[in-house]
Amino acid sequence: MAAEFDLVVIGSGPGGYVAAIRASQLGLKVAIVERENLGGICLNWGCIPTKALLKSGEKFESLSHLKEYGLSASGASFDFDAIIQRSRGVAATMNKGIGFLMKKNKIEVIEGSATLEKGAAAPKVVVALKAGGTRAIEAKTVMLAVGARARALPQIGLEADGDKIWAYRDALAPKKLPKTFVVIGSGAIGIEFASFYRALGAEVTVVEAVDRIMPVEDEEVSKAAQKSFEKRGIKFKVGTKVTKVSKDSKGVKVDIEVNGKAETLEAEVCISAIGITANTDGIGLEALGVELDRGHIKTDSHCQTNVKGLYAIGDCAGAPWLAHKASHEGIHAAEHIAAYKTPNVHSPIAGCTYAQPQVASVGITEQGARAEKREVKIGRFPFRVNGKAVAAGEIDGFVKVIFDARTGALIGAHMIGHEVTEMIQGYVTAITMEATEEDIHGIVYPHPTMSEAMHEAALDAYGRVLHI
């Protein structure tokens, strides 16, 4: 049987749909299989709708600081249902946009759930169609972009039920606004939901097993973030083990252990944000002999699996579990499939947390550099002495940069403050282009901007800082 498509992509998240577009641009005949909504979790239940919620929370919370700007208003309130509806509307708009892109690029969208069977050039794709029946597809290449789902720990009762124990989907579209929360996990997902619900006045306690919040971030940023969140009224229990989660008529009880002592936290709702599990079960990988690593698909530098004609990208292929990493891998894999001469450059992947304040980072942390016994030069610059930040009333936070002392190469950057997620890309570009301190020192930054703190931090690493 002749191949029906050059490429079949399974999953239409930010990795899958971007890979499909790039493959089509390169002349391949492409189909994409989606079991739920175009755009995947990120667009429909993750990255995009959470940012809509966070913006509503930020706008409302800012009303309590109007006096600082010489302004006043009274009777401020919010409509929780309208906030949720706006978030869902944003997701729906983006979903329609993906549908348009599929049509524009002549990509066939097949609605249904896919499984893999042994095939000729690549595994055969068998789709249980939403409309009923099945469709078997032969393709020259298959790409898995099946993503991941919220991790559960049923052995301790931590399993989402949509009522008293929420995963991220439940937290995005609740029927009512609870007054009290326990959030388990202080990664980006946990912190963002804690930030949003606190902005609307809820009492929030975040539980983290490690001895500090946001453990993947630089320790200095992590500590500063906790202080800022605590100022907003968010409570933290770090170095804390959750031993049991139970439900009763009032809500949930979360049994914890801190320094060997047992405690119980009570709230209306518990949000589980303890990580993700790859969607690799039930799609036929075992029968094909696909190699896995702790549930994630093993791939080479071109996103190829050990099975002929099968690629895997994004969350299902391992950390970091970020949308932009999935898109980057999808483009690279599509170009490799099309035999397009693309450099195998692995750009550093930035991490962003969109709370108040925001946190953004790329590259190695200070503690990581010390662990590797690398000789480094470190520079810092606080926003409290940045002209634009002072004028905007956004003085919390700082920029921190790490250079290799021997070569002068920028190897890490860490930021906390207002809209730093929009600024971090400057450092991503610098690291990708192998910039040294001389390169960054010589860049002219526009004035007044908060990005000037990026320049000053680089100057500080070499004893040349100007404004402190």
Side-chain angles (χ1 to χ4, degrees), residues 363-376 402-406 409-412 414:
I364 197 168
T365 62
E366 180 179 355
Q367 60 268 27
R370 302 297 185 200
E372 294 178 8
K373 294 181 169 50
R374 298 182 70 163
E375 187 180 349
V376 295
I402 303 171
F403 291 90
D404 183 285
R406 184 176 60 84
L410 178 67
I411 57 175
H414 310 274

Side-chain angles (χ1 to χ4, degrees), residues 26 101 117 157 180 219 247 284 306 375 409:
L26 293 169
L101 290 171
E117 298 178 359
T180 55
E219 188 171 351
K247 298 177 282 188
N306 65 305
E375 187 180 349

